[in-house]
Amino acid sequence: MKNIAAVNDFVVKFANVNGSGSASANALFARAVLRMGVSASPRNIFPSNIQGLPTWYEVRISERGWQGRRGGVDLMVAMNPQTWDEDVAEIEPGGYLLYDSTKDLLPTKFRDDVQSIGIPLTRICNEAYTDARQRQLFKNIIYVGALGALLDLDPQVIAALIGEQFKGKEALMQSNVKALAMGRDYALSHFDCPIGLQIQKSDSVGEKIFLEGNSAAALGAVYGGATVAAWYPITPSSSLAEAFERHCKTYRHDSDSGRARYAILQAEDELASIGMVIGAAWNGARAFTATSGPGISLMQEFIGFAYFAEIPSVIFDVQRGGPSTGMPTRTQQSDITLCAYASHGDTKHVLLFPEDPKEAFEMSATAFDLADRLQTPVFVMLELDIGMNERLCDPLEWDDSRRFDRGKVMTHEMLERGDEFGRYLDVDVDGIPYRTYPGTHPQHGSYFTRGTTKDRYAKYSEAGPDYVDNMQRLLRKFETAKNLVPEPILHMDTHASQFGVIFFGSTAPAMYEAIDALEVRGLEVDALRIRAFPFSDAVTEFVAEHDQIFVVEQNRDAQLRMLLINECGFNPTKLVAVLHYDGTPITARFIVHEISEGIAALNEAPLRGTAAK
Amino acid sequence: MTYIAKPKLAHPGIPTNELGYTRRYYEGAVSTLCAGCGHDSISAGIVQAFFELNIEPHRVAKLSGIGCSSKTPTYFLGSSHGLNSVHGRMPSVLTGANLANRELIYLGVSGDGDSASIGLGQFAHCLRRGVNMVYIVENNGVYGLTKGQFSATADKGSKSKRGITNADSNIDMVGLALQLGATFVARSFSGDKAQLVPLLKAAVEHKGAAFIDVISPCVAFNNHAGSTKSYDYVREHNEVLNQLDFMPRREPITADYEAGEVEEIRQHDGQVLRLRKVSKDYDPHDRIAAMNILQARAAEGEIVTGLIYFDREAEDLHSNLNTVEFPLNTLGEEELCPGSAALDLFNADLQ
Ligand SMILES: Cc1ncc(C[n+]2csc(CCOP(=O)(O)OP(=O)(O)O)c2C)c(N)n1
Ligand code: SF4
Ligand SMILES: [Mg+2]
């Protein structure tokens, strides 16, 4: 048997039982790798459960900085008997299995092509601790200590992290250090350390920060000037609202009075959340809600109201697996059509697709400008994979000269000097009318906001021409949006290839790695990362310039492809769907496999360009 | 429905309030409700209350849901911003609006279908939160706008116009409001302007969640024999607890009532409410007593009206959230955006 040998480039996966205290130990491991200067991206794969069900933590270690999932596991830390068989099966040939050898396991439970590393974790704990909770918690720390020795992680680095974590709690710190040492000593005295997988000090992390998408998006809302947040708890979005509260506590209290420059309400449901956002935004505050698919489903009526009454509102949809309760703790990109056309009647909404926490921060702040400028709902389409995982990304940036774009708001001065105010008058022929905030002027500028049809001066009207006039203006406004939303980004701008790939959101890191791997195989593809809906003309050009386009997404029905065909009139045969939707984040290997197969099939039987007569 | 603008000119000599506005200035578009609809009387009461309170109409935000009742904000305070939201969801929109600007006066107008059926949840939660507002339910026991189906406030045993008897128990909005923590709870009748207008005025001045259930007969679908929300029925069964006189702050307090019959209620902002007691031993500051009398009289088939409960020390949502004294919608980059220096520190923490 030849074991895998790799330095700074492998996958470690921890299989644990939910609620067993493994989360902080596993995070400690990931942080230690990062402290060694080696890029790592961890992903939580967790159940909808508080205690007892299986949970996994997968750490992709990559000197080259690939942040996506690669696919396959090189070292499995199998701590959960319930999932033993599937965990062992997932290991790459030549890989490693670290397990608790306190109890004898049948030889059939192991694989010949995998190196087994048994450590009697339970026994060590039972001998060292009397308290049941301690026995459980320190078992996790002990395997981190053992991993340190097996992978050649600098023990000083781990010790320093423990020191930071338990600063001021001397006793806890000492017991953690002791547990780490027990694991390390056991590994050193029983195995050849290091094994084939090793971490060597590097500088591939550089200035990068390690940040969770939901926290980044929440900070973007602080920087973007949101003052009102209304939400109802739902995984995977709750931590966004909670992070907003945390950030506000840091940044938004009046230094003299201590009073809050924000208001956060945990509403009774998502209907109320979006209602509060609409009320606050109508009244001139920047407001948002954070939710997931089920919440968006509930908000439908109000979203149409905000579209038709033209009220800026920002909605974070941290997507999870649907339909219904679906896979509440797994990732997907399956709310695209739900959000793009949310509500009854003819509606279309602006969507933003961040690829990582850094972009979640930026797009979050931008969403408030767009919502105000366009006077319409704006969706920030996060995903569980981005929202609830820490990701290594470039430091966040802010330009201090940047001002909030509050859009077209008529002020007291403008009304006083006699500017004509018609709430739905298209004065600039961009589809965007002026609005006033309630209470602006005693005599001028008040109007009645309603979801029923109206004329250009906001007067109730059921006249067909008034209705059509208004609906056409809303379309013009959506055209204007095209040029305001973030442009798509072209990768591998060689145009050497007849093949193009379109992707978005959390697929990005796996896609970057896949493009690289395809190139190694001699398969060049151009790639376009879509960052917003409505689609800009650059998308149409990209599709026109290539013979065949793969649209890679994480849902069953190829929702982005559907939207592209519907909105841009593309020939459906030109757009090949590449779909990954089992709830786990998409991997580079999957993409490489699908696209190379796809290209091979197309080369055999081209879908397009049947021979000319 | 049509929108008819009323002539703006007022005759000289027509009385004006302290701001120099005529009563006409507080009106809105011509109503398109059925002639005789109770809701129109409530609109007239609102016009009078704001006129007499000398409030600038543009300092008021009117919000409503969907229904005949929810249409009425078009018919009063034409210079105020209004928002006709979706069915049953006015409370959340009002709550958000209130968070954005604590300085305006918020008037929520709803119907019994809007608040007791589809919107019962939002009704309950905005009262629980103590949103500073006046919440009026124009209660006719039916869905007027969808043509006469029973609403959740229709009394058990009452008959619809088509002769169907309601088998479900009714929801008493006043009882609910008391239980949910509203700090000003009243009931009135659209046909009793003398009672309604002072209650509206007191509710506007109340800092906290003020709820008024106004029985407002629907002449089209619920004014027949067998209805318990008809003009005749309400007049016969109205048990008036007290009559309120609303004293604007500067008015001298004159004693023209017999001792023991009048209670002066001083609010913590110095406002004085004068309550003429009809039911001698009724104490409107006792929430539990209020709940009791409501139940007891309801069992006798009586409809209790007047100021039912009043909390002098009410707190509102903003004080609970400890928000700054200025409206949140006036804050700009300086107050809201922490800037690049703070972001550098944030980054450094995560490196
Ligand atoms: C979501 C939704 N469901 C149903 C309706 C139809 N609808 C309009 S008004 C109304 C009932 C209104 O009753 P109420 O609030 O008592 O007002 P009233 O007309 O009696 O004053 C209904 C059911 C609607 N507008 N929206
Ligand atoms: S239907 Fe009833 S509630 Fe509606 S306007 Fe007519 S009388 Fe009033
Ligand atoms: Mg009704």
Side-chain angles (χ1 to χ4, degrees):
Chain A
M1 179 183 75
K2 196 171 170 307
N3 279 110
I4 300 170
V7 176
N8 294 357
D9 186 17
F10 52 91
V11 176
V12 181
K13 188 167 181 175
F14 299 84
N16 300 93
V17 177
N18 204 27
S20 66
S22 58
S24 59
N26 297 346
L28 173 67
F29 170 76
R31 283 176 186 278
V33 174
L34 288 168
R35 275 291 167 89
M36 296 282 287
V38 181
S39 280
S41 71
R43 283 180 168 76
N44 288 295
I45 300 158
F46 58 98
S48 178
N49 161 265
I50 304 301
Q51 204 168 51
L53 287 186
T55 179
W56 293 270
Y57 188 74
E58 187 178 298
V59 186
R60 173 72 199 279
I61 295 160
S62 165
E63 173 76 26
R64 290 190 61 190
W66 301 126
Q67 298 282 310
R69 274 181 84 213
R70 181 196 70 185
V73 174
D74 302 307
L75 166 58
M76 178 69 75
V77 181
M79 302 300 297
N80 186 355
Q82 298 170 71
T83 57
W84 174 273
D85 290 341
E86 62 178 279
D87 294 334
V88 170
E90 204 184 346
I91 304 170
E92 296 283 293
Y96 304 83
L97 168 69
L98 175 63
Y99 69 104
D100 183 352
S101 61
T102 305
K103 277 195 196 136
D104 281 338
L105 284 165
L106 288 176
T108 52
K109 287 283 178 190
F110 296 91
R111 274 169 53 183
D112 295 338
D113 61 345
V114 164
Q115 184 183 331
S116 301
I117 304 166
I119 301 180
L121 293 165
T122 305
R123 204 188 68 216
I124 297 175
C125 280
N126 287 352
E127 285 165 5
Y129 308 100
T130 49
D131 176 72
R133 186 68 189 152
Q134 281 191 333
R135 282 177 172 175
Q136 187 179 44
L137 288 179
F138 287 119
K139 198 190 286 183
N140 305 314
I141 301 294
I142 292 171
Y143 70 62
V144 173
L147 277 176
L150 293 164
L151 303 177
D152 204 17
L153 272 164
D154 184 349
Q156 298 299 323
V157 165
I158 310 183
L161 283 168
I162 291 279
E164 289 164 28
Q165 191 181 342
F166 298 104
K167 206 163 153 191
K169 297 173 192 150
E170 193 60 28
L172 258 179
M173 188 197 302
Q174 286 313 326
S175 35
N176 274 277
V177 168
K178 190 181 136 203
L180 276 172
M182 283 193 283
R184 182 175 171 77
D185 294 346
Y186 189 93
L188 287 173
S189 54
H190 291 79
F191 310 105
D192 276 342
C193 289
I195 56 173
L197 306 176
Q198 291 174 35
I199 303 288
Q200 283 175 11
K201 280 220 164 95
S202 162
D203 55 6
S204 80
V205 171
E207 294 284 281
K208 287 198 162 65
I209 60 169
F210 194 52
L211 172 65
E212 204 188 66
N214 280 349
S215 171
L219 191 67
V222 172
Y223 274 72
T227 50
V228 176
W231 67 292
Y232 187 75
I234 183 169
T235 306
S237 72
S238 301
S239 58
L240 199 163
E242 287 157 358
F244 183 69
E245 181 151 18
R246 231 175 27 247
H247 295 322
C248 282
K249 287 210 165 109
T250 310
Y251 299 116
R252 285 282 192 79
H253 279 268
D254 191 279
S255 50
D256 297 329
S257 66
R259 288 163 76 170
R261 297 197 190 106
Y262 62 93
I264 302 172
L265 278 191
Q266 185 188 312
E268 58 270 32
D269 56 30
E270 288 87 347
L271 279 76
S273 310
I274 186 69
M276 289 169 187
V277 168
I278 288 170
W282 172 75
N283 213 0
R286 289 192 151 183
F288 76 89
T289 183
T291 186
S292 190
I296 304 282
S297 292
L298 278 182
M299 293 175 186
Q300 295 288 308
E301 187 187 17
F302 254 139
I303 292 169
F305 176 82
Y307 173 78
F308 201 49
E310 298 180 62
I311 299 172
S313 22
V314 174
I315 302 166
F316 293 90
D317 178 5
V318 190
Q319 296 167 85
R320 64 189 216 180
S324 189
T325 308
M327 293 203 289
T329 58
R330 303 297 154 100
T331 199
Q332 257 184 11
Q333 302 177 318
S334 51
D335 295 345
I336 311 299
T337 41
L338 169 74
C339 294
Y341 300 129
S343 206
H344 54 276
D346 293 320
T347 58
K348 289 177 199 237
H349 308 288
V350 174
L351 316 180
L352 306 179
F353 302 108
E355 66 165 345
D356 68 357
K358 177 166 168 117
E359 216 173 46
F361 169 77
E362 289 163 357
M363 286 188 175
S364 166
T366 301
F368 292 94
D369 283 348
L370 285 171
D372 268 349
R373 169 62 40 192
L374 293 163
Q375 299 176 20
T376 201
V378 173
F379 290 81
V380 184
M381 304 298 289
L382 280 157
E383 302 159 44
L384 183 147
D385 186 42
I386 300 172
M388 288 189 72
N389 287 310
E390 288 171 304
R391 196 66 46 81
L392 210 51
C393 47
D394 288 328
L396 307 182
E397 292 161 306
W398 190 260
D399 175 0
D400 285 324
S401 67
R402 178 172 168 171
R403 300 286 90 161
F404 299 154
D405 176 7
R406 299 304 319 256
K408 299 186 193 177
V409 180
M410 270 214 182
T411 59
H412 184 273
E413 295 71 55
M414 294 159 84
L415 293 163
E416 188 68 26
R417 73 173 180 231
D419 286 9
E420 186 187 16
F421 176 67
R423 174 64 182 99
Y424 301 108
L425 261 189
D426 189 3
V427 276
D428 303 318
V429 209
D430 55 2
I432 309 172
Y434 273 83
R435 63 175 181 142
T436 53
Y437 300 151
T440 300
H441 192 283
Q443 279 86 34
H444 311 296
S446 72
Y447 67 97
F448 213 93
T449 303
R450 45 166 65 89
T452 35
T453 60
K454 57 251 160 179
D455 68 9
R456 294 177 177 183
Y457 294 87
K459 285 187 185 131
Y460 184 93
S461 165
E462 287 177 6
D466 282 338
Y467 173 78
V468 171
D469 178 62
N470 192 43
M471 292 298 278
Q472 285 296 322
R473 183 180 51 75
L474 288 171
L475 269 188
R476 276 203 299 286
K477 187 162 92 166
F478 208 63
E479 274 300 306
T480 302
K482 254 189 186 179
N483 300 316
L484 297 178
V485 298
E487 277 282 306
I489 291 182
L490 193 59
H491 292 267
M492 300 272 301
D493 191 6
T494 61
H495 294 272
S497 170
Q498 69 196 99
F499 298 108
V501 180
I502 287 178
F503 66 102
F504 65 100
S506 75
T507 302
M511 178 60 72
Y512 300 143
E513 184 175 358
I515 293 169
D516 188 75
L518 285 166
E519 205 184 321
V520 171
R521 293 186 183 196
L523 297 173
E524 281 202 357
V525 291
D526 295 330
L528 189 75
R529 180 165 69 87
I530 287 186
R531 298 200 299 159
F533 176 68
F535 304 122
S536 84
D537 295 339
V539 177
T540 319
E541 285 159 23
F542 181 80
V543 172
E545 280 169 8
H546 294 86
D547 293 342
Q548 209 68 51
I549 305 284
F550 296 95
V551 185
V552 183
E553 46 190 316
Q554 301 183 54
N555 57 66
R556 183 193 69 179
D557 290 345
Q559 296 186 15
L560 187 81
R561 177 179 173 273
M562 228 189 289
L563 202 58
L564 285 163
I565 292 168
N566 201 31
E567 294 290 325
C568 309
F570 298 135
N571 178 354
T573 59
K574 196 171 174 178
L575 269 49
V576 182
V578 175
L579 305 171
H580 184 283
Y581 59 94
D582 66 0
T584 60
I586 195 167
T587 64
R589 280 186 187 174
F590 172 84
I591 300 171
V592 170
H593 178 262
E594 293 294 303
I595 292 184
S596 18
E597 297 265 297
I599 291 178
L602 288 166
N603 284 339
E604 269 168 37
L607 292 175
R608 253 169 44 100
T610 36
K613 272 182 244 152
Chain B
M1 192 178 105
T2 46
Y3 179 96
I4 308 164
K6 290 186 190 172
K8 282 265 187 278
L9 287 176
H11 289 291
I14 279 188
T16 57
N17 65 8
E18 288 172 15
L19 300 170
Y21 295 134
T22 62
R23 194 180 173 287
R24 173 72 199 84
Y25 188 64
Y26 289 81
E27 293 175 0
V30 170
S31 168
T32 59
L33 301 185
C34 306
C37 174
H39 301 349
D40 277 336
S41 311
I42 302 172
S43 295
I46 291 171
V47 166
Q48 192 174 330
F50 280 93
F51 171 74
E52 289 176 5
L53 282 172
N54 300 303
I55 287 171
E56 293 262 18
H58 77 293
R59 304 308 298 165
V60 183
K62 322 167 279 188
L63 298 103
S64 61
I66 298 287
C68 296
S69 37
S70 292
K71 281 184 177 189
T72 62
T74 315
Y75 316 138
F76 56 79
L77 303 183
S79 305
S80 304
H81 268 68
L83 190 151
N84 218 173
S85 69
V86 294
H87 195 19
R89 318 294 173 205
M90 172 276 285
S92 62
V93 182
L94 189 151
T95 302
N98 183 296
L99 290 177
N101 183 354
R102 59 188 303 167
E103 286 182 352
L104 299 184
I105 293 165
Y106 294 91
L107 186 58
V109 177
S110 179
D112 44 311
D114 203 56
S115 281
S117 299
I118 192 168
L120 188 62
Q122 296 212 345
F123 163 79
H125 290 281
C126 82
L127 292 184
R128 280 180 59 224
R129 292 191 182 100
V131 179
N132 185 13
M133 64 179 172
V134 181
Y135 191 134
I136 302 170
V137 167
E138 308 192 343
N139 187 351
N140 54 17
V142 287
Y143 294 171
L145 196 55
T146 53
K147 304 197 172 201
Q149 301 84 357
F150 282 124
S151 84
T153 64
D155 288 310
K156 189 169 185 165
S158 66
K159 272 206 177 62
S160 80
K161 207 176 172 186
R162 278 178 292 166
I164 302 161
T165 304
N166 179 30
D168 303 340
S169 343
N170 77 306
I171 290 176
D172 176 22
M173 307 292 290
V174 165
L176 267 186
L178 283 170
Q179 201 269 320
L180 291 164
T183 45
F184 180 109
V185 180
R187 178 149 52 208
S188 191
F189 173 42
S190 66
D192 186 355
K193 219 171 170 184
Q195 185 192 46
L196 177 62
V197 172
L199 283 173
L200 282 169
K201 287 160 77 177
V204 169
E205 293 295 328
H206 178 70
K207 188 170 177 283
F211 173 70
I212 311 182
D213 178 30
V214 188
I215 299 170
S216 176
C218 168
V219 291
F221 301 110
N222 207 10
N223 198 32
H224 48 272
S227 156
T228 56
K229 299 271 194 290
S230 66
Y231 282 110
D232 288 345
Y233 186 92
V234 179
R235 284 204 183 97
E236 277 160 31
H237 297 81
N238 188 352
E239 160 128 3
V240 179
L241 285 179
N242 47 39
Q243 276 290 13
L244 193 67
D245 288 333
F246 184 78
M247 312 301 296
R249 224 163 303 203
R250 272 156 292 138
E251 214 134 290
I253 296 166
T254 51
D256 53 357
Y257 297 113
E258 301 230 348
E261 285 194 335
V262 171
E263 187 198 348
E264 275 172 5
I265 306 170
R266 201 166 288 276
Q267 293 187 258
H268 57 145
D269 63 353
Q271 300 277 4
V272 175
L273 302 181
R274 186 174 297 165
L275 205 59
R276 192 144 35 94
K277 294 180 174 182
V278 174
S279 174
K280 277 229 166 43
D281 44 32
Y282 182 67
D283 174 10
H285 311 302
D286 183 342
R287 196 185 285 272
I288 293 165
M291 289 176 174
N292 282 337
I293 195 161
L294 217 58
Q295 297 292 330
R297 294 296 196 279
E300 305 280 309
E302 298 292 329
I303 306 161
V304 164
T305 61
L307 178 59
I308 294 166
Y309 175 71
F310 181 79
D311 178 354
R312 276 168 286 210
E313 305 300 323
E315 298 243 295
D316 87 321
L317 178 60
H318 277 281
S319 43
N320 296 339
L321 292 174
N322 192 29
T323 45
V324 285
E325 60 185 311
F326 304 107
L328 291 176
N329 70 356
T330 60
L331 305 179
E333 291 85 357
E334 291 297 302
E335 296 94 349
L336 300 178
C337 182
S340 64
L343 201 56
D344 291 344
L345 292 174
F346 181 84
N347 286 326
D349 263 359
L350 299 173
Q351 263 158 355

